[in-house]
Amino acid sequence: FIQLQGNINLKVCEPSLSIDNQIPINNGEIYLLPYCIPHSPQRYPNTIGIVFERTRLENELDGLRWYNSNNSDQSKIILYEKFFHCYDLGTQIKDAILEFRDSLAFKSNQPLLDYENDINYLNIHRNFNKKISSKQNLLGNQPFQLLNDLNYPIGINKIINGKEFTVDLIVGNSSIYELETVHNGELFIWQLKGSSVIRSGNNAIDLKLNDVILYPINLFPSSQLLNNNVDDIVFVLKNNIALQ
């Protein structure tokens, strides 16, 4: 999530860990959400944000989930959920919402399945091969201010260095940044300030202010990135799809 204008809240929920929090993402901040975390962005008038969604593998499923809202003990019981292979998020979300509103679960506000424990359902509809600790991921991953404060030291700044993704800021022209092939992942480059050049053999790509490049899975040749001036800044994000 990249917040270009105004502030939003990202509601996250994991029933088994009793987490029901809203993570504020303020103007100019970036937040990298770990995978398999139920979430719902709460957006407000006059806010503008960008959401980057990585390419899904063929065997991956996305899901939409609704909770029972009338529990006296405030616990989160899954009322309805729908899993699907995501190829067009906009149209598929609409279809899933219409299906939910036409369901008996929506009309009665009572779940038709025990979504957390029904083995047959889980085997067919869930594709979470690795269970993760949502609490640990959320506590260790907070929004960071990027766009409103670009006062970083010259050189390669490692903003995030995790198993799921890494974020580097290359500031100034004192360091050559090696853009190595990302195994089973994607690479996103954004020129935040000034200009730079990406060189691969005899080929060169010039980047100007706010230019972006997204290299798909395993289609990025080993290259070098170099800013043209001392105050130029490039944002580089790598994800590791193999972990998802």
PDB file of all heavy atoms in Angstrom, residues 185-198:
ATOM      1  N   GLY A 185      10.387 -14.645  -8.449  1.00  0.00           N
ATOM      2  CA  GLY A 185       9.827 -13.435  -7.848  1.00  0.00           C
ATOM      3  C   GLY A 185       9.727 -12.317  -8.865  1.00  0.00           C
ATOM      4  O   GLY A 185      10.038 -12.484 -10.045  1.00  0.00           O
ATOM      5  N   GLU A 186       9.281 -11.159  -8.398  1.00  0.00           N
ATOM      6  CA  GLU A 186       9.118  -9.990  -9.254  1.00  0.00           C
ATOM      7  C   GLU A 186       9.976  -8.853  -8.717  1.00  0.00           C
ATOM      8  O   GLU A 186      10.324  -8.814  -7.544  1.00  0.00           O
ATOM      9  CB  GLU A 186       7.651  -9.557  -9.284  1.00  0.00           C
ATOM     10  CG  GLU A 186       6.724 -10.609  -9.865  1.00  0.00           C
ATOM     11  CD  GLU A 186       5.250 -10.304  -9.604  1.00  0.00           C
ATOM     12  OE1 GLU A 186       4.919  -9.920  -8.466  1.00  0.00           O
ATOM     13  OE2 GLU A 186       4.459 -10.445 -10.531  1.00  0.00           O
ATOM     14  N   LEU A 187      10.280  -7.906  -9.583  1.00  0.00           N
ATOM     15  CA  LEU A 187      11.113  -6.767  -9.217  1.00  0.00           C
ATOM     16  C   LEU A 187      10.428  -5.489  -9.677  1.00  0.00           C
ATOM     17  O   LEU A 187      10.080  -5.350 -10.849  1.00  0.00           O
ATOM     18  CB  LEU A 187      12.494  -6.902  -9.863  1.00  0.00           C
ATOM     19  CG  LEU A 187      13.512  -5.813  -9.566  1.00  0.00           C
ATOM     20  CD1 LEU A 187      13.907  -5.856  -8.092  1.00  0.00           C
ATOM     21  CD2 LEU A 187      14.744  -5.996 -10.444  1.00  0.00           C
ATOM     22  N   PHE A 188      10.237  -4.554  -8.740  1.00  0.00           N
ATOM     23  CA  PHE A 188       9.577  -3.282  -9.048  1.00  0.00           C
ATOM     24  C   PHE A 188      10.549  -2.144  -8.761  1.00  0.00           C
ATOM     25  O   PHE A 188      11.134  -2.065  -7.677  1.00  0.00           O
ATOM     26  CB  PHE A 188       8.315  -3.118  -8.199  1.00  0.00           C
ATOM     27  CG  PHE A 188       7.675  -1.757  -8.324  1.00  0.00           C
ATOM     28  CD1 PHE A 188       6.940  -1.431  -9.457  1.00  0.00           C
ATOM     29  CD2 PHE A 188       7.816  -0.807  -7.332  1.00  0.00           C
ATOM     30  CE1 PHE A 188       6.356  -0.180  -9.581  1.00  0.00           C
ATOM     31  CE2 PHE A 188       7.229   0.440  -7.445  1.00  0.00           C
ATOM     32  CZ  PHE A 188       6.503   0.761  -8.575  1.00  0.00           C
ATOM     33  N   ILE A 189      10.734  -1.244  -9.750  1.00  0.00           N
ATOM     34  CA  ILE A 189      11.666  -0.121  -9.636  1.00  0.00           C
ATOM     35  C   ILE A 189      10.888   1.173  -9.861  1.00  0.00           C
ATOM     36  O   ILE A 189      10.119   1.291 -10.826  1.00  0.00           O
ATOM     37  CB  ILE A 189      12.807  -0.249 -10.659  1.00  0.00           C
ATOM     38  CG1 ILE A 189      13.555  -1.574 -10.447  1.00  0.00           C
ATOM     39  CG2 ILE A 189      13.766   0.931 -10.558  1.00  0.00           C
ATOM     40  CD1 ILE A 189      14.561  -1.874 -11.538  1.00  0.00           C
ATOM     41  N   TRP A 190      11.113   2.159  -8.990  1.00  0.00           N
ATOM     42  CA  TRP A 190      10.382   3.435  -9.043  1.00  0.00           C
ATOM     43  C   TRP A 190      11.384   4.563  -8.825  1.00  0.00           C
ATOM     44  O   TRP A 190      12.069   4.619  -7.816  1.00  0.00           O
ATOM     45  CB  TRP A 190       9.313   3.426  -7.963  1.00  0.00           C
ATOM     46  CG  TRP A 190       8.474   4.663  -7.848  1.00  0.00           C
ATOM     47  CD1 TRP A 190       8.400   5.720  -8.702  1.00  0.00           C
ATOM     48  CD2 TRP A 190       7.550   4.962  -6.799  1.00  0.00           C
ATOM     49  NE1 TRP A 190       7.508   6.658  -8.273  1.00  0.00           N
ATOM     50  CE2 TRP A 190       6.971   6.217  -7.098  1.00  0.00           C
ATOM     51  CE3 TRP A 190       7.167   4.294  -5.641  1.00  0.00           C
ATOM     52  CZ2 TRP A 190       6.021   6.815  -6.269  1.00  0.00           C
ATOM     53  CZ3 TRP A 190       6.227   4.890  -4.812  1.00  0.00           C
ATOM     54  CH2 TRP A 190       5.660   6.133  -5.131  1.00  0.00           C
ATOM     55  N   GLN A 191      11.462   5.484  -9.783  1.00  0.00           N
ATOM     56  CA  GLN A 191      12.361   6.635  -9.666  1.00  0.00           C
ATOM     57  C   GLN A 191      11.666   7.726  -8.843  1.00  0.00           C
ATOM     58  O   GLN A 191      10.805   8.437  -9.328  1.00  0.00           O
ATOM     59  CB  GLN A 191      12.731   7.169 -11.054  1.00  0.00           C
ATOM     60  CG  GLN A 191      13.820   8.216 -11.043  1.00  0.00           C
ATOM     61  CD  GLN A 191      15.191   7.624 -10.769  1.00  0.00           C
ATOM     62  OE1 GLN A 191      15.502   6.536 -11.250  1.00  0.00           O
ATOM     63  NE2 GLN A 191      16.018   8.331 -10.016  1.00  0.00           N
ATOM     64  N   LEU A 192      12.061   7.839  -7.571  1.00  0.00           N
ATOM     65  CA  LEU A 192      11.410   8.785  -6.666  1.00  0.00           C
ATOM     66  C   LEU A 192      11.913  10.205  -6.845  1.00  0.00           C
ATOM     67  O   LEU A 192      11.188  11.173  -6.578  1.00  0.00           O
ATOM     68  CB  LEU A 192      11.630   8.359  -5.212  1.00  0.00           C
ATOM     69  CG  LEU A 192      10.905   7.113  -4.736  1.00  0.00           C
ATOM     70  CD1 LEU A 192      11.247   6.833  -3.281  1.00  0.00           C
ATOM     71  CD2 LEU A 192       9.394   7.261  -4.892  1.00  0.00           C
ATOM     72  N   LYS A 193      13.149  10.343  -7.250  1.00  0.00           N
ATOM     73  CA  LYS A 193      13.739  11.677  -7.385  1.00  0.00           C
ATOM     74  C   LYS A 193      14.846  11.625  -8.422  1.00  0.00           C
ATOM     75  O   LYS A 193      15.647  10.685  -8.444  1.00  0.00           O
ATOM     76  CB  LYS A 193      14.304  12.145  -6.031  1.00  0.00           C
ATOM     77  CG  LYS A 193      14.780  13.583  -6.002  1.00  0.00           C
ATOM     78  CD  LYS A 193      15.243  13.968  -4.605  1.00  0.00           C
ATOM     79  CE  LYS A 193      15.689  15.423  -4.563  1.00  0.00           C
ATOM     80  NZ  LYS A 193      16.164  15.821  -3.211  1.00  0.00           N
ATOM     81  N   GLY A 194      14.864  12.633  -9.311  1.00  0.00           N
ATOM     82  CA  GLY A 194      15.929  12.721 -10.296  1.00  0.00           C
ATOM     83  C   GLY A 194      15.805  11.699 -11.405  1.00  0.00           C
ATOM     84  O   GLY A 194      14.710  11.389 -11.887  1.00  0.00           O
ATOM     85  N   SER A 195      16.928  11.107 -11.785  1.00  0.00           N
ATOM     86  CA  SER A 195      16.951  10.164 -12.907  1.00  0.00           C
ATOM     87  C   SER A 195      18.046   9.136 -12.677  1.00  0.00           C
ATOM     88  O   SER A 195      18.936   9.309 -11.849  1.00  0.00           O
ATOM     89  CB  SER A 195      17.189  10.905 -14.228  1.00  0.00           C
ATOM     90  OG  SER A 195      18.446  11.576 -14.202  1.00  0.00           O
ATOM     91  N   SER A 196      17.970   8.054 -13.442  1.00  0.00           N
ATOM     92  CA  SER A 196      18.967   6.991 -13.326  1.00  0.00           C
ATOM     93  C   SER A 196      19.003   6.218 -14.639  1.00  0.00           C
ATOM     94  O   SER A 196      18.218   6.472 -15.561  1.00  0.00           O
ATOM     95  CB  SER A 196      18.642   6.057 -12.158  1.00  0.00           C
ATOM     96  OG  SER A 196      17.441   5.348 -12.409  1.00  0.00           O
ATOM     97  N   VAL A 197      19.909   5.250 -14.694  1.00  0.00           N
ATOM     98  CA  VAL A 197      20.018   4.412 -15.877  1.00  0.00           C
ATOM     99  C   VAL A 197      20.230   2.969 -15.436  1.00  0.00           C
ATOM    100  O   VAL A 197      20.950   2.691 -14.483  1.00  0.00           O
ATOM    101  CB  VAL A 197      21.169   4.883 -16.801  1.00  0.00           C
ATOM    102  CG1 VAL A 197      22.505   4.824 -16.078  1.00  0.00           C
ATOM    103  CG2 VAL A 197      21.209   4.067 -18.086  1.00  0.00           C
ATOM    104  N   ILE A 198      19.573   2.040 -16.134  1.00  0.00           N
ATOM    105  CA  ILE A 198      19.763   0.605 -15.926  1.00  0.00           C
ATOM    106  C   ILE A 198      20.533   0.068 -17.124  1.00  0.00           C
ATOM    107  O   ILE A 198      20.104   0.215 -18.268  1.00  0.00           O
ATOM    108  CB  ILE A 198      18.412  -0.130 -15.793  1.00  0.00           C
ATOM    109  CG1 ILE A 198      17.631   0.380 -14.587  1.00  0.00           C
ATOM    110  CG2 ILE A 198      18.634  -1.639 -15.674  1.00  0.00           C
ATOM    111  CD1 ILE A 198      16.238  -0.204 -14.479  1.00  0.00           C
TER     112      ILE A 198
END
